[in-house]
Amino acid sequence: LHFPKNIIQTPHTHPSVRTGLVYKGIGECVIGDSKIPLEPGYAFIIETNTGHSFNTGDGFMDVIAFHPDSDV
């Protein structure tokens, strides 16, 4: 997934777990009141039906993601 600079994603959920690895760039994952900084080499897991969003600020972020219920 490519997140261009200045992305402030709307919080949302998914019906299955989401996992990913930050490949390039920097950003943050927001879960509830927590802002988790992300940079290359960081891996993450977002549990089923957990509200979350990604923000990039002045940079961009490329993520290798696994979405088990996606058709791509």
Side-chain angles (χ1 to χ4, degrees):
L1 302 172
H2 175 72
F3 295 93
K5 69 178 187 172
N6 298 318
I7 290 294
I8 300 175
Q9 211 178 37
T10 301
H12 59 281
T13 63
H14 299 283
S16 64
V17 68
R18 297 299 198 243
T19 63
L21 174 71
V22 180
Y23 176 65
K24 291 182 187 177
I26 59 171
E28 66 183 9
C29 181
V30 179
I31 298 176
D33 292 332
S34 298
K35 293 183 179 181
I36 302 152
L38 299 173
E39 60 183 54
Y42 280 38
F44 61 85
I45 298 172
I46 302 170
E47 296 295 336
T48 301
N49 296 317
T50 299
H52 66 282
S53 62
F54 290 96
N55 303 331
T56 56
D58 293 334
F60 73 94
M61 186 171 60
D62 290 340
V63 173
I64 299 167
F66 176 63
H67 300 161
D69 58 358
S70 177
D71 60 354
V72 292

